[in-house]
Amino acid sequence: MIFLERIYFKEVERVFCNINEKEQLNMSEDFIRNYIRVMPSFFNYQEEEKSIKPNIIFSKNIDELFKTTPKSLKIHMADGDVEGNDLKRNLKIILPFCNVGWSLYVDFKKDKLEYGIVRKFTGISGFSFVEEIFLTPSSYESTSFVSMTLVSRFELLYRGLRGTESIIDFRFHEESNSKKEIVLEDLTNTFLEKSIHNKDKKVVQAINKLFYLANEKSHGSIILIIDNDCSELPTNLFMDNGVLFNEPIDIVEKLYETVTTEIIGDLITSTEQYYGISGLLFEMINIDGITLLSNDGKVLGFNLFANANKNTNIKKVVGGARKRAYNSLLSSELECIAGVYFQSQDGDVEFKKAGEVFEK
Amino acid sequence: MKFLKNEIILWDSPNGINLPGNCTIVDTIESSNKQLRISEQKQIVNAINNGLFNMSAEFIWNRTIAILKDKVMSLGTDFVLEMLDRNINDSPENISHNEFIVLASELGIINKLAKKKFLHANELINYYYSRDAEQEMDSYDMQTIIIPCFQYILGLDTQDFTLEFNNFRERLKLEMIVKGDELYELLLISPYFYRRTTVKTILNLTKNTDGGEFEIVLNNLVTLFDGFWDSLISDDRYLIGMSYSEAVSNGMKELSTGIRRVLLKNKGFDYVPENLRSQSFIEYAKNLKAAHFGLDNFYNEAKPAENLANMGTIPAPAISHCISAALVSKLGNSYGVARSAQNYINEILKSIPSNRWEYYFNTSFPLDGDVLYKLLTNGKELGNWISYINELFTGKELSLKDANTNRLIQATLSKNRTSVINGATKMYNNLGI
């Protein structure tokens, strides 16, 4: 007789129970069970064939927290039972809003759950609602707050005010991960290296935030940053398809105008311009191929594919298409390269500056 | 820090030079001058001897104000603009002589008596140079202007100007202050003006320091703001709230965290505005005051008054600034009021609801040096005050919690000029400036 062995990740339920206790959320056992059932779907969540990256807050007494984050908006959308029997239905309705900058919240009241969305409005370089709460995590006695974010296709990060910082990793083996914050900081610094605004804290903060959002929205990307001092790129570095701008888009200058404009009319226009251009950049990064930037803060092209030939010194390398392109750019040792950024579909990120050794 | 009689002062002001009491004005100039060139001194003396009092007074006054401005501006443009609640992109050219004189006194560059004399001199100069001046300047008014200039500025060598306030500022930047420290305890019991100046100085330092100095300033911010939060009036709490809002919008993590701690501990988020619209109101109020205390005010007050009136409902963080500005224009100066501005001023004052008047009288009025100063003498301003307050309080029940304010208002309603002057003098002296 053959016995079918079934393996469950029961450890996840234990961890989540610990989080509940530590963070004093008072979730019922039934709720935890219902939540654990839906959790795996977050890694590849879709509604109407549209991919959604969930961003959820579990809280107790969210109104108290809301008072401490001015310029925020909270919209109460539904009430649910404390066991979470309607959790899946409520998530289905509300999660799509996560894709347009909102966080879904589930607030644990005495005899019901309150579902809704919350968002903070702080402009280009400000903190999000969750970031602002976590500025002073130890200052809350009568409230509870746990945020859940999808870090990659396999990782859910839970952070709580009472010290929880756990990643539930659904992979079967240990992986060493580059810390996203450090990678994005390196990317930002290289992009601004020769920009005249690289000492302006607001500009640096805003660009960092921009790359952070691009990372969240993207399903995989390569960004190549070239040195603006290069007189010209090698012939046929890229294949014929793809877009190289005759006039590069100076996104950093647009940003600088926005953060320094005082006149209201001009501010509205330049802000709209900046958001328009940064929106283009998100889409460019998300499109297949390499997005080309220069290290003085400009966008040079997108949808580009490296051309492996003698002139370019790009060698053919094995691996997935995106990874291949990334590694072959690194191994090319082209002088014009200032840095290369890679984001896998699973969410892994890497950034190598010029001259860093190519590793298999 | 010094203790004089029972008065606590954290930074000292120079008391000027002693001038002999029975000399002529020419002898005074010739014996005390340290700042004018010899050729300039001779020209001034000639002008006075030839009866050209307007010219000599104007020259001396302008030179004095220029030196005073330099001293104030040596603390940094950003700092000065913030001390005056002005937008940091504003030009120092827009700061009136009146503001420089008051700020110079607050910072200890000149003492209280010098401030009184300079404010009076400023009013005289503005009157004689306005289109409404009905006569030429006489010898008496000329001396009223010139003598304090030599006594407090032109008679001092450059090295005599020690800016003790700078030492205080340096301490905030370099010394970690903890609860129970001598400086901490002193600030808690000193006149309110010192706490207000400390709040503004620290907030300014957070923008102009980095590295280790910034860490120290941040520590001092949390310690001191937490320590005297309860004693701060709403206007200054709003200042802290607006700074928090700005820090969060700019992604300044350490500063946001520091101020947030203070706000959380003191339940101070009501003072973080949802928008910064109030800053526009404050700016317009400042413009109105600058026009009132500046040259040709009878003609120049109308436009800023109109602008402020057109701004609409005044938000809470700006209410004290707007009421103060409207009142100074309403009360006028010793030569009268700017008639062309009065319709707008009346519109502004009429739009203020009772609860906001209560707030103003209970918290801001005791600290409103500009309005109190106008009630110190038995001039036209006092008459206008009595007339307006009687009109304001007719049919209104305002609950006045501050005892001094209540006494002054009662004296006003009784039309007892002497009691009003005495009450205002007491309150003005309590300001410590």
Side-chain angles (χ1 to χ4, degrees):
Chain A
M1 204 166 167
I2 297 169
F3 289 97
L4 178 62
E5 191 180 9
R6 200 177 276 275
I7 302 154
Y8 290 104
F9 295 98
K10 287 200 81 77
E11 181 70 2
V12 173
E13 191 172 347
R14 186 192 65 78
V15 166
F16 203 74
C17 286
N18 286 346
I19 292 174
N20 178 42
E21 199 181 315
K22 184 175 184 180
E23 298 294 334
Q24 298 172 24
L25 282 166
N26 298 340
M27 291 176 178
S28 65
E29 282 180 17
D30 287 334
F31 178 88
I32 293 175
R33 216 166 288 127
N34 280 320
Y35 176 71
I36 299 291
R37 280 198 190 108
V38 300
M39 210 199 295
S41 66
F42 292 154
F43 297 103
N44 194 17
Y45 198 88
Q46 288 194 353
E47 286 293 338
E48 312 287 331
E49 293 179 359
K50 206 174 171 187
S51 190
I52 293 166
K53 283 196 175 174
N55 198 332
I56 303 178
I57 291 165
F58 300 98
S59 61
K60 208 172 68 188
N61 212 353
I62 195 170
D63 290 326
E64 282 302 307
L65 291 167
F66 183 69
K67 280 182 205 167
T68 69
T69 52
K71 298 185 192 173
S72 302
L73 194 55
K74 179 172 82 70
I75 303 176
H76 174 191
M77 289 192 158
D79 288 331
D81 65 58
V82 290
E83 287 85 29
N85 292 320
D86 45 13
L87 173 67
K88 198 172 172 185
R89 181 186 69 92
N90 287 322
L91 288 180
K92 186 181 166 62
I93 302 166
I94 304 172
L95 272 176
F97 295 108
C98 292
N99 265 14
V100 286
W102 294 79
S103 297
L104 183 157
Y105 75 84
V106 184
D107 195 52
F108 290 81
K109 308 281 190 211
K110 247 185 183 167
D111 50 2
K112 65 173 182 177
L113 302 185
E114 182 181 297
Y115 293 86
I117 50 176
V118 68
R119 183 176 172 169
K120 185 167 170 76
F121 300 91
T122 47
I124 293 163
S125 46
F127 296 118
S128 67
F129 180 82
V130 171
E131 283 169 343
E132 190 169 353
I133 299 288
F134 277 111
L135 284 177
T136 49
S138 55
S139 303
Y140 308 94
E141 283 171 8
S142 60
T143 53
S144 301
F145 185 92
V146 173
S147 80
M148 183 223 83
T149 29
L150 188 71
V151 177
S152 75
R153 245 179 98 192
F154 303 105
E155 297 161 288
L156 287 176
L157 169 65
Y158 288 90
R159 282 185 74 197
L161 290 179
R162 288 173 175 81
T164 296
E165 196 139 347
S166 304
I167 288 187
I168 296 189
D169 192 329
F170 277 79
R171 286 173 289 197
F172 295 151
H173 56 100
E174 267 185 52
E175 296 274 349
S176 67
N177 301 310
S178 312
K179 204 146 185 213
K180 185 159 77 169
E181 289 77 20
I182 298 174
V183 167
L184 293 176
E185 200 179 311
D186 284 344
L187 172 63
T188 302
N189 292 338
T190 306
F191 180 51
L192 294 174
E193 197 179 338
K194 292 190 180 174
S195 164
I196 56 174
H197 304 302
N198 63 7
K199 294 275 183 286
D200 191 304
K201 284 182 189 165
K202 283 188 205 173
V203 167
V204 174
Q205 179 82 10
I207 293 291
N208 189 254
K209 195 173 171 186
L210 190 151
F211 282 134
Y212 204 90
L213 288 170
N215 167 270
E216 293 211 320
K217 287 180 181 300
S218 172
H219 303 288
S221 56
I222 298 183
I223 299 175
L224 170 64
I225 304 182
I226 59 167
D227 193 325
N228 82 320
D229 285 338
C230 282
S231 47
E232 51 185 67
L233 296 172
T235 321
N236 299 328
L237 174 61
F238 301 113
M239 295 182 186
D240 284 342
N241 46 0
V243 177
L244 270 171
F245 300 120
N246 288 333
E247 260 187 60
I249 304 172
D250 197 340
I251 193 170
V252 172
E253 190 58 40
K254 289 284 163 234
L255 169 65
Y256 182 72
E257 273 172 28
T258 306
V259 299
T260 53
T261 302
E262 288 289 321
I263 300 164
I264 298 297
D266 289 351
L267 178 61
I268 292 169
T269 312
S270 66
T271 306
E272 197 184 340
Q273 245 183 32
Y274 173 71
Y275 278 119
I277 293 171
S278 53
L280 286 181
L281 184 59
F282 291 149
E283 293 306 321
M284 289 179 203
I285 290 172
N286 220 7
I287 289 174
D288 259 353
I290 299 166
T291 304
L292 185 65
L293 310 177
S294 60
N295 66 355
D296 59 347
K298 295 189 177 116
V299 183
L300 305 180
F302 69 101
N303 188 224
L304 299 160
F305 295 88
N307 204 354
N309 62 48
K310 283 189 292 198
N311 290 335
T312 61
N313 210 25
I314 304 279
K315 301 183 189 74
K316 286 191 177 175
V317 179
V318 295
R322 200 175 284 116
K323 191 78 182 191
R324 266 185 284 145
Y326 172 64
N327 286 330
S328 44
L329 283 172
L330 284 177
S331 64
S332 69
E333 295 176 352
L334 285 166
E335 278 177 16
C336 59
I337 293 180
V340 192
Y341 166 84
F342 165 77
Q343 181 185 343
S344 73
Q345 198 166 6
D346 300 337
D348 295 334
V349 291
E350 244 179 68
F351 180 78
K352 298 267 192 226
K353 290 181 80 163
E356 283 179 329
V357 174
F358 157 58
E359 289 170 11
K360 281 194 182 171
Chain B
M1 282 162 276
K2 289 182 190 170
F3 296 84
L4 285 182
K5 296 176 189 166
N6 286 321
E7 190 187 325
I8 291 144
I9 36 176
L10 281 120
W11 50 87
D12 208 357
S13 46
N15 293 316
I17 57 172
N18 289 325
L19 294 176
N22 52 359
C23 280
T24 63
I25 182 68
V26 169
D27 288 339
T28 301
I29 292 171
E30 286 173 344
S31 63
S32 64
N33 172 44
K34 292 266 170 58
Q35 298 275 353
L36 297 179
R37 288 193 290 273
I38 298 297
S39 57
E40 289 172 329
Q41 181 184 298
K42 282 184 178 161
Q43 283 171 9
I44 294 297
V45 166
N46 277 343
I48 291 172
N49 287 335
N50 285 316
L52 299 171
F53 300 138
N54 278 38
M55 249 175 61
S56 45
E58 185 192 356
F59 181 88
I60 296 295
W61 178 250
N62 285 341
R63 181 59 68 86
T64 302
I65 284 293
I67 294 172
L68 198 64
K69 269 189 190 177
D70 272 345
K71 284 295 147 201
V72 171
M73 296 308 295
S74 70
L75 291 166
T77 307
D78 281 0
F79 175 74
V80 171
L81 289 170
E82 286 182 4
M83 285 297 291
L84 296 171
D85 293 325
R86 283 181 173 272
N87 190 305
I88 58 162
N89 293 313
D90 204 351
S91 165
E93 300 300 321
N94 295 337
I95 303 173
S96 65
H97 291 174
N98 203 75
E99 286 175 290
F100 271 115
I101 293 165
V102 172
L103 187 56
S105 168
E106 288 175 358
L107 297 173
I109 298 171
I110 54 175
N111 66 15
K112 290 185 226 182
L113 184 57
K115 174 189 160 188
K116 274 192 178 149
K117 290 183 177 182
F118 281 157
L119 287 176
H120 183 46
N122 189 48
E123 201 175 302
L124 280 173
I125 283 275
N126 286 342
Y127 172 72
Y128 280 110
Y129 283 92
S130 73
R131 288 171 248 181
D132 290 323
E134 289 157 351
Q135 62 205 49
E136 292 289 308
M137 189 184 290
D138 61 24
S139 165
Y140 176 76
D141 281 346
M142 178 264 300
Q143 291 185 56
T144 304
I145 294 168
I146 288 183
I147 290 178
C149 292
F150 280 94
Q151 187 177 6
Y152 295 104
I153 303 286
L154 299 177
L156 295 171
D157 268 322
T158 320
Q159 55 264 29
D160 291 332
F161 284 104
T162 51
L163 213 46
E164 286 202 21
F165 174 76
N166 249 341
N167 294 338
F168 174 75
R169 204 161 167 229
E170 287 298 297
R171 286 190 73 179
L172 291 177
K173 203 163 61 162
L174 302 173
E175 197 179 303
M176 203 75 96
I177 298 168
V178 297
K179 207 172 166 180
D181 260 0
E182 191 190 0
L183 181 58
Y184 177 91
E185 295 300 330
L186 257 177
L187 279 167
L188 286 181
I189 56 174
S190 51
Y192 184 81
F193 142 77
Y194 286 111
R195 287 196 287 289
R196 169 176 276 175
T197 307
T198 304
V199 167
K200 292 186 181 185
T201 306
I202 288 188
L203 289 175
N204 177 263
L205 284 171
T206 58
K207 293 176 195 166
N208 294 305
T209 50
D210 50 31
E213 281 180 1
F214 177 77
E215 297 294 331
I216 293 173
V217 170
L218 199 58
N219 167 80
N220 293 341
L221 180 153
V222 175
T223 305
L224 291 172
F225 288 11
D226 189 39
F228 40 76
W229 179 268
D230 285 341
S231 68
L232 290 177
I233 65 168
S234 294
D235 291 351
D236 296 315
R237 292 181 184 182
Y238 273 119
L239 193 60
I240 296 171
M242 285 197 276
S243 299
Y244 174 74
S245 192
E246 219 179 288
V248 166
S249 293
N250 292 331
M252 296 164 76
K253 193 172 180 181
E254 290 95 349
L255 182 57
S256 303
T257 304
I259 304 179
R260 188 175 172 82
R261 282 208 182 102
V262 175
L263 294 172
L264 277 168
K265 196 168 171 209
N266 294 285
K267 296 190 183 355
F269 278 93
D270 287 341
Y271 298 97
V272 181
E274 283 293 327
N275 57 55
L276 297 176
R277 197 169 150 257
S278 49
Q279 283 188 338
S280 302
F281 280 85
I282 292 172
E283 212 175 297
Y284 279 111
K286 289 275 165 195
N287 290 345
L288 173 56
K289 267 195 184 173
H292 173 76
F293 289 116
L295 216 54
D296 258 348
N297 67 298
F298 293 151
Y299 297 93
N300 292 335
E301 278 183 46
K303 193 64 194 165
E306 184 188 357
N307 289 341
L308 185 57
N310 286 344
M311 286 289 283
T313 311
I314 303 171
I319 198 71
S320 298
H321 292 88
C322 294
I323 291 180
S324 180
L327 278 179
V328 299
S329 180
K330 182 80 180 163
L331 302 186
N333 57 31
S334 44
Y335 301 101
V337 298
R339 285 195 213 105
S340 52
Q342 293 310 301
N343 281 344
Y344 302 114
I345 296 299
N346 291 336
E347 200 184 309
I348 293 165
L349 292 171
K350 244 190 186 141
S351 72
I352 296 164
S354 298
N355 62 339
R356 296 272 202 240
W357 275 115
E358 264 181 20
Y359 166 78
Y360 171 73
F361 280 117
N362 286 326
T363 50
S364 307
F365 178 71
L367 301 170
D368 194 341
D370 287 335
V371 171
L372 285 170
Y373 186 77
K374 288 189 177 288
L375 308 179
L376 301 183
T377 51
N378 199 3
K380 287 183 180 173
E381 303 98 310
L382 183 59
N384 292 335
W385 166 261
I386 290 174
S387 170
Y388 178 66
I389 291 297
N390 272 279
E391 186 192 313
L392 175 68
F393 277 75
T394 304
K396 260 196 187 74
E397 281 267 350
L398 296 185
S399 161
L400 301 178
K401 294 185 181 112
D402 180 76
N404 288 328
T405 303
N406 194 25
R407 265 193 294 273
L408 190 144
I409 296 294
Q410 294 310 318
T412 306
L413 294 174
S414 315
K415 301 184 184 175
N416 186 335
R417 294 175 88 104
T418 309
S419 294
V420 174
I421 292 171
N422 290 341
T425 306
K426 184 181 174 190
M427 290 175 77
Y428 188 81
N429 289 339
N430 282 348
L431 293 177
I433 49 170

